[in-house]
Amino acid sequence: MKLYRRTLMSGLVATLALSGLAKPVFADEITLEVLYNLPGFTKFHQPLADEFMKNNPDIKINFLAPAAGYNEGQQQVLRAAVTGNLPDVYFSGYNLTAELVHALAPRDQITDLTPFIEAEGGQSFLDKNYSPKMVALGQIDGKQYGLPVNASSPIMYINADLVKKAGSDPDNMPKTFPELIELAKKIHALDPKIAGMGYDINGWPDDWLWQALIFQQGGKLVDERTKTVAFDNEIGLNALKLTRQFVTEGGQSLLDWDQSRQQFGAGLTGFIFSTPAHVQTIEGLVGDRFPLKTATFPLDNKDEGGVPTGGNSAVILTQDEAKQDAAWKYLKWVTGPEAQNTIVRITGYLPTNKLATGPNYLEPYYAEHPNVKTASLQADRSLPWAGYPGGDSVRIWRTQRDIIGTVMRGEVSPEDGLKQLVEQTNALMN
């Protein structure tokens, strides 16, 4: 009787499934609990997850409520590690991944992706999909813990009319900061109400633009051997001198980054530096007031310089083997060319997968949106957005930003400002 009833029920479920009245039940369906940061990213995470589940009906993606930002997500995951309630997959900010790995790896709570990569073909798999600089964003202590999902490096937004009036070519902008400051000086001279440039490091919410000034000179943030700042030298001093020159020579107004964008959109700034994620926003602010162009970030050291890369890589935290296999499929999907094509079109970020720039994906889009393409041109300059030992990177930046502001306002000399930066940063790392 039991056997008959079980057979009858199985037949009923099958009949209902075929008639579309019931969803097929997969005996081995796996649910992945996934946490990402920034609620605005739902606009690409959800459709990509829907497409993934359609192609992998035995895997369900269940998103946890997104964290407000990378710092909040980091704290949420670290707390969950203590209670043993970690998500299966997490999208970790590049600048915080080292701290995450150092906290979780000793407890076997984060997964080294090397075995999965080897099963895909090892280095040939990586070479086919990611540039060396891009894949390095997910490497910590020589191991591959994450695959890069979002990537954003600072670019230049240009008022083509003002640049032309100052006698320069907006399609061939200067490639170094000294040359750009000279151009900004000429733009400012056109009209005292016009700022030659805007580098809004004084109001930026994180140290991305500060690291950019260090990295573009070929410098480093932290000395790995001594665990102290690595910019206590001419590179750090020159970075602070530049921030002061932006004001004294380039005519920069000291605004927060949102006010700076508004001023640029009104046609009152020659050029500004910001994230490629702001392309659509800035295009909207500019409208038809002037032709808007974009250009890559300047490098004073062409051979060794680079740009810090914001964004996140996907890491696997589950230690369940079946879930790990499912999570690996999901990681390959979100970092693959099809998903990257979607992400770039929605966000303006640069693609993390080399194949995504091809004719079947972003090539026609870039032809229609050259201002978005700019970010992809500096993928080979991508450097990891560094963090500080000790897990106090947020407080460190707020302290640094106050000091940099005093230098930009002329209240403190670059030399004294560097001394304060070094002393206070080292103190906060200990």
Side-chain angles (χ1 to χ4, degrees), residues 28 87 92 175 178 188 195 219 221 254 260 264 271 314 353 382 394 402 414:
D28 298 325
S92 173
K175 301 294 192 293
H188 186 50
L221 199 68
L254 292 179
S260 180
F264 178 79
F271 53 89
N353 191 296
S382 295
V394 176
D402 289 345

Side-chain angles (χ1 to χ4, degrees), residues 163-226:
V163 169
K164 285 180 180 177
K165 287 178 183 177
S168 195
D169 179 3
D171 292 315
N172 187 27
M173 290 290 283
K175 301 294 192 293
T176 67
F177 271 110
E179 294 170 310
L180 281 168
I181 291 170
E182 279 300 311
L183 173 57
K185 188 188 300 184
K186 293 175 182 176
I187 294 171
H188 186 50
L190 297 172
D191 186 331
K193 295 193 300 294
I194 294 174
M197 64 178 292
Y199 194 91
D200 305 304
I201 189 171
N202 56 293
W204 207 260
D206 50 53
D207 70 345
W208 196 48
L209 290 179
W210 170 246
Q211 291 196 27
L213 289 181
I214 299 296
F215 290 175
Q216 65 90 17
Q217 299 180 71
K220 295 176 66 177
L221 199 68
V222 177
D223 186 315
E224 295 172 2
R225 184 180 57 83
T226 63

